[in-house]
Amino acid sequence: MKTMHRLHPRRSATRGLVPPPTRPRWEPLQLRRRSFVTSLMLGASALALTGCEQRKPPEPPQPQPLPPGVHVPSVREGEDLFGYMSRTRGGFNRTLYRQLIGAANEYKEGDEAAGLAAADDTSRANARLLLRNTRIGTLRAHPLFEDGLFTLIEQGVDASAARTLANWKMDDLVRLLLDKSEEEIKPYLPGLSSDVIGCLVKLLTHDELIAVGRKIFNPLPGSKVGAPGYLGARIQPNSPTDHPDDIRWQVFNGWAFAVGDVVLGTNPVSSEVESVRTVEKTLHDILVTFGLTDVMPHCVLSHIDIQAEVEKLEPGSTGVWFQSLGGTEGANQTFDVTLPKMLAHAAKRTGKYGLYFETGQGADGTNGHGEGFDMVVHESRKYGFARVLKQHVARAQLGAGRAAAPWVHLNDVAGFIGPEVFRTREQLVRCCLEDIVMGKLHGLTIGLDVCSTLHMEVNLDDLDWCLDQIMPANPAYLMALPTKNDPMLSYLTTAFQDHVRLREKFGYKVDDQLWAFFQRLGVIDAQGKPTEHFGDPNWVYLQYRRHKDDTRPDADILAEGRARMAEVRSRGVWLAEGHGAQLWDLEPSLDREIRALYDDAKKSLFAELPTTFASSLPGAVGVATGSKDRMDYILHPPSGEQLSAAGVEALRKLREAQGGQYDVQLVLSDGLNAWALTDDGHLGPYLERVRSELTAAGYKVAPQPIVVTSGRVRAGYHIGEVLYGSLPDKTSHRAILHIIGERPGSGHHAYSVYITAPKVETWAQEGAVDHDITRVVSGIADTALLPSKAAVDTVNILNQLVPR
């Protein structure tokens, strides 16, 4: 979607995916004074030469269409949001109200797509002025959107503090934050609703957000995580195959750089209970071995229900519990999260470690739950949800006879959604600063995943620049991986060495208890200086074996460690040993490898399925989505979620030919990496094995695979609606197995399989099938999760979804 009101291309238009236009066709012609005078002289000469001709009266100027966006052309002195609506619309108008509050945001593509971005800088400034003049109590009395989550969030606001603030203007609140100390500010914070906090950050400049961020802190109980002058790290030891050694060695790697003091948190490939249980035990073993279970927790970032099931099977095996949060009830349903469920889980957290949340601007809108209000307020409501759950954890601790000291923290995954939310590094910085302040004003310990998907226009070096802009605001922690490239999720984030650089540049410290541990470990000395073992994960492995009472000679253990490191690397997981010219530089050969992977990712994004691909699969039916071209597909995901009219017609014919006799349909989409399907040894072994396993399990598999060009995950749901929605047997389960290329940048060219198998009566309801009832097997490649193994996992999951 082009921003037709912009006279100059955004930074993103001059680099990366989109070539710069010579001059946008919507840019008005602007003449310099000398050119204008010259044109007048030439015009006068022409008239003199044709003086005998009858002069025609000039045609009246045609009104020019307004550029898209929210227009706020003028504001009267002292006018607030409600006075403006009364003057221009005759009273309160909720649509305009949402637009005015959205227009106060700094520009982001996600707000533009929702019709909430200001049309120009004047409109943005005027929207902010209206918001500044509006009273807090009046804002609270006019919610942008009401649902059960909003009601719950409002219950978490302190009523007495809110009454004190009700007659304040938003500008008064800005002045409080900028002019007063933390001690003077904090008594007011419990009275701030999430919507008010979301509106507040719109009124702060870049520097003002930093000033507030470095003023207010909410450290975790009994630690320095989130305290002034401290910058923690969540080690994220992800593995493409959930292999325990991949996970274990990445933790050793982080600790070798004296990094990793908040949580050991793995994103699992498999959501199977036993697989999650294995990863939990791997992380727990490391903490137990080094005597750190009372200092920091571990976490497997599966669905919270799975974590609870693992804890039930093996009490004490889980640490802090994780869940992604949305800003509305509908958005949370996408994560299979309900309010009663989360409150019940919070009530179980009576021990030291409570809950860990992840959020991100734009996730609600991209999941179809934007509800007409902007991304910043959505994000703030997620923090309000987290604040309420933190309060419930505190009550649970009191009820169990413990002190109320809830270990609850939040990680803002800014940048993970993609360019449809925001495309430039400047927007990423703005997002992170807004979120730091919103989190702190909610009383939360908030960290950041300053990250970029590979189809955004934020590269490896851009992330360093972003970190330098954000770090003065002192977030509680950042992610930490051996390199900036996650080997499983295939996105860019913060490396161990980045932490070393940021500690040196900004003077930030590691939690005191972990810093003492790193000294005992021998990677830093008593003065905190790196030792000869700094950056050596094998040295940490040696200490691990010694803590396991391994009495073998050092040389034998180190040789074993070296062999295991080679095995980890052979599975496509990077380990960072040593450094470059500076302590914070990647070793040069590893740096070249990571940059080559980034270049491969950019090529993968634009790869397309060969025209002969569908014909190479017996009986395949080819269809396309609504994406106009590859660029449209990348920048506008909804275009790839629905089939074209011709595609729907082709499926109707297929439905008639099939006659409802099949209960499993295979769908193949190029996704974000067509090479994932065309590389040797990828698709063929999977299709052969999955058909065999399905048949053995008693399923009837349609012989005609469907091949989708420019297909997103939701395109599979659309296919299911067309194929199954009109079948007469409303109670039978029908499955779509959607094989889709994903996650460019890992070098694996991996694909995922999305498994969806509701009843026909659910398929019959347009839009009812979504991610909340879908399971996934991801990271499938000949160098990651083997296709034949993935096929077995697929059928095992399908058996759980379909009663047999």
Side-chain angles (χ1 to χ4, degrees):
M1 181 184 298
K2 293 184 181 297
T3 50
M4 306 298 284
H5 60 278
R6 293 181 176 268
L7 299 184
H8 304 288
R10 295 191 298 276
R11 177 180 179 274
S12 61
T14 62
R15 58 196 296 281
L17 293 175
V18 183
T22 53
R23 176 159 63 86
R25 60 181 176 84
W26 62 90
E27 182 175 354
L29 184 63
Q30 298 181 1
L31 298 178
R32 294 181 182 273
R33 182 178 182 277
R34 181 176 297 175
S35 301
F36 180 66
V37 172
T38 302
S39 67
L40 284 179
M41 292 173 64
L42 289 172
S45 300
L47 286 174
L49 291 171
T50 60
C52 60
E53 296 181 8
Q54 185 176 0
R55 182 177 299 178
K56 295 180 180 179
E59 294 184 5
Q62 297 297 314
Q64 296 298 313
L66 290 172
V70 181
H71 292 263
V72 191
S74 63
V75 172
R76 292 178 179 176
E77 185 174 355
E79 194 169 43
D80 69 358
L81 289 168
F82 299 90
Y84 180 84
M85 286 187 287
S86 180
R87 175 169 63 86
T88 60
R89 295 294 178 89
F92 179 75
N93 181 287
R94 177 166 286 194
T95 298
L96 178 59
Y97 181 53
R98 292 168 170 173
Q99 290 172 339
L100 291 171
I101 288 177
N105 286 346
E106 283 292 309
Y107 173 80
K108 300 188 187 88
E109 276 79 9
D111 287 333
E112 180 181 62
L116 299 169
D120 48 50
D121 290 340
T122 297
S123 294
R124 181 175 295 107
N126 284 337
R128 287 175 175 168
L129 184 56
L130 293 171
L131 185 54
R132 280 182 179 274
N133 290 334
T134 302
R135 298 192 185 278
I136 293 173
T138 311
L139 276 175
R140 287 197 70 200
H142 294 81
L144 290 162
F145 174 75
E146 295 179 77
D147 64 357
L149 179 57
F150 171 77
T151 301
L152 180 67
I153 291 170
E154 287 292 298
Q155 291 171 0
V157 179
D158 183 87
S160 176
R163 284 192 296 270
T164 301
L165 292 165
N167 205 39
W168 286 27
K169 292 182 178 180
M170 290 293 291
D171 192 58
D172 298 326
L173 190 54
V174 170
R175 297 268 50 91
L176 172 76
L177 294 181
L178 297 179
D179 298 342
K180 301 299 182 180
S181 67
E182 180 182 31
E183 292 72 22
E184 294 170 299
I185 293 169
K186 277 204 165 181
Y188 295 97
L189 298 186
L192 294 179
S193 72
S194 296
D195 283 19
V196 168
I197 291 173
C199 288
L200 175 64
V201 296
K202 303 167 190 281
L203 304 177
L204 300 176
T205 66
H206 179 108
D207 290 338
E208 288 169 343
L209 288 168
I210 289 174
V212 176
R214 68 193 308 168
K215 182 185 290 188
I216 297 173
F217 296 91
N218 307 296
L220 289 174
S223 81
K224 291 294 186 180
V225 175
Y230 284 78
L231 178 65
R234 169 200 152 189
I235 291 183
Q236 182 170 291
N238 292 344
S239 165
T241 58
D242 285 342
H243 196 292
D245 261 0
D246 296 353
I247 294 163
R248 187 177 292 116
W249 276 92
Q250 288 180 82
V251 175
F252 297 160
N253 200 173
W255 283 353
F257 287 96
V259 170
D261 56 338
V262 178
V263 60
L264 306 181
T266 299
N267 299 84
V269 174
S270 171
S271 57
E272 294 296 294
V273 170
E274 280 306 313
S275 180
V276 170
R277 186 181 185 180
T278 298
V279 179
E280 293 271 16
K281 291 173 69 173
T282 299
L283 296 171
H284 189 228
D285 166 73
I286 297 170
L287 295 175
V288 169
T289 300
F290 284 108
L292 297 174
T293 53
D294 288 332
V295 179
M296 67 182 298
H298 67 286
C299 183
V300 178
L301 282 70
S302 63
H303 193 281
I304 194 167
D305 292 350
I306 301 298
Q307 297 163 74
E309 183 65 24
V310 171
E311 181 66 22
K312 184 189 298 183
L313 290 172
E314 192 163 344
S317 62
T318 65
V320 65
W321 284 7
F322 162 83
Q323 184 54 52
S324 295
L325 298 181
T328 66
E329 279 192 283
N332 281 293
Q333 186 60 45
T334 305
F335 303 127
D336 190 21
V337 164
T338 65
L339 307 186
K341 176 185 291 188
M342 289 306 298
L343 293 173
H345 282 309
K348 298 174 185 175
R349 308 307 293 154
T350 58
K352 176 173 182 176
Y353 301 121
L355 296 169
Y356 167 28
F357 305 115
E358 285 194 350
T359 66
Q361 284 194 34
D364 309 272
T366 57
N367 278 320
H369 297 285
E371 306 296 354
F373 64 102
D374 65 272
M375 299 193 302
V376 173
V377 176
H378 268 283
E379 185 73 3
S380 190
R381 287 192 177 192
K382 298 167 197 176
Y383 301 170
F385 193 9
R387 176 168 65 181
V388 170
L389 292 170
K390 179 180 176 181
Q391 293 166 354
H392 280 257
V393 171
R395 291 172 196 163
Q397 291 176 321
L398 286 172
R402 296 174 56 95
W407 185 291
V408 173
H409 60 93
L410 185 142
N411 175 33
D412 168 35
V413 189
F416 191 74
I417 304 300
E420 64 271 27
V421 173
F422 48 81
R423 287 172 59 186
T424 69
R425 65 180 192 172
E426 289 82 5
Q427 291 180 43
L428 176 57
V429 168
R430 175 72 190 190
C431 173
C432 289
L433 293 177
E434 290 166 347
D435 295 351
I436 290 170
V437 171
M438 289 194 295
K440 291 189 175 188
L441 295 183
H442 277 92
L444 298 171
T445 307
I446 182 166
L448 296 177
D449 192 343
V450 185
C451 61
S452 167
T453 59
L454 275 298
H455 57 307
M456 282 178 66
E457 296 168 35
V458 179
N459 62 31
L460 291 158
D461 297 321
D462 287 335
L463 281 183
D464 289 344
W465 180 87
C466 290
L467 289 170
D468 287 347
Q469 308 308 305
I470 296 164
M471 284 307 102
N474 205 164
Y477 62 94
L478 298 173
M479 297 300 98
L481 288 79
T483 75
K484 281 185 169 69
N485 198 336
D486 187 292
M488 189 271 280
L489 294 175
S490 299
Y491 77 118
L492 303 181
T493 185
T494 319
F496 300 144
Q497 289 85 350
D498 293 322
H499 283 267
V500 178
R501 181 179 74 83
L502 295 172
R503 292 193 308 231
E504 178 70 19
K505 180 169 184 174
F506 294 99
Y508 287 137
K509 296 181 286 186
V510 171
D511 179 72
D512 295 347
Q513 297 173 87
L514 266 296
W515 195 247
F517 166 69
F518 295 141
Q519 290 174 321
R520 295 194 302 272
L521 200 58
V523 296
I524 53 173
D525 63 20
Q527 289 71 45
K529 302 296 183 183
T531 69
E532 61 182 315
H533 305 301
F534 188 80
D536 183 1
N538 207 12
W539 170 260
V540 180
Y541 176 67
L542 175 61
Q543 310 316 306
Y544 172 78
R545 293 309 312 168
R546 291 290 180 237
H547 278 78
K548 290 282 192 183
D549 298 324
D550 191 331
T551 59
R552 289 177 294 165
D554 286 3
D556 291 353
I557 295 174
L558 291 172
E560 177 183 77
R562 181 64 54 190
R564 293 196 174 183
M565 289 172 69
E567 292 171 1
V568 169
R569 289 187 171 113
S570 72
R571 290 188 288 270
V573 176
W574 305 286
L575 297 175
E577 288 184 90
H579 54 80
Q582 304 288 344
L583 285 171
W584 49 84
D585 291 336
L586 270 183
E587 189 275 325
S589 64
L590 180 58
D591 183 66
R592 288 192 294 272
E593 181 179 351
I594 297 302
R595 290 180 183 277
L597 287 170
Y598 179 82
D599 292 340
D600 177 74
K602 289 302 184 184
K603 295 173 184 175
S604 299
L605 280 169
F606 287 93
E608 299 185 45
L609 292 174
T611 56
T612 58
F613 180 79
S615 61
S616 69
L617 301 171
V621 176
V623 297
T625 64
S627 296
K628 293 179 292 187
D629 52 34
R630 193 67 183 167
M631 185 63 70
D632 185 38
Y633 173 76
I634 291 170
L635 297 182
H636 307 127
S639 70
E641 295 179 346
Q642 295 287 305
L643 300 183
S644 66
V648 171
E649 183 58 31
L651 288 188
R652 287 174 178 158
K653 293 179 180 178
L654 177 62
R655 179 183 64 204
E656 293 172 4
Q658 291 181 346
Q661 61 183 309
Y662 304 112
D663 47 24
V664 177
Q665 175 67 57
L666 297 175
V667 177
L668 299 88
S669 291
D670 46 9
L672 291 175
N673 188 356
W675 289 342
L677 304 187
T678 60
D679 280 3
D680 290 341
H682 278 211
L683 185 59
Y686 177 84
L687 291 179
E688 181 179 355
R689 184 66 180 271
V690 80
R691 283 188 178 276
S692 172
E693 293 289 329
L694 288 167
T695 301
Y699 294 100
K700 296 178 181 178
V701 188
Q704 311 95 335
I706 297 170
V707 177
V708 185
T709 301
S710 296
R712 297 274 179 173
V713 174
R714 283 194 174 96
Y717 307 154
H718 192 193
I719 288 170
E721 291 174 359
V722 176
L723 285 184
Y724 300 141
S726 61
L727 296 180
D729 186 359
K730 300 302 182 185
T731 61
S732 65
H733 286 261
R734 303 297 173 117
I736 295 290
L737 303 186
H738 191 176
I739 304 158
I740 184 168
E742 290 193 301
R743 298 174 179 172
S746 66
H748 295 288
H749 292 174
Y751 59 90
S752 299
V753 180
Y754 289 83
I755 307 155
T756 313
K759 294 179 180 178
V760 169
E761 61 189 6
T762 303
W763 284 117
Q765 303 171 48
E766 184 178 349
V769 176
D770 210 344
H771 304 327
D772 58 315
I773 61 171
T774 294
R775 303 280 292 278
V776 62
V777 178
S778 59
I780 306 168
D782 59 340
T783 54
L785 178 60
L786 293 177
S788 57
K789 173 66 165 58
V792 174
D793 292 346
T794 299
V795 178
N796 286 339
I797 291 173
L798 183 60
N799 286 336
Q800 296 170 27
L801 297 177
V802 179
R804 307 297 291 172

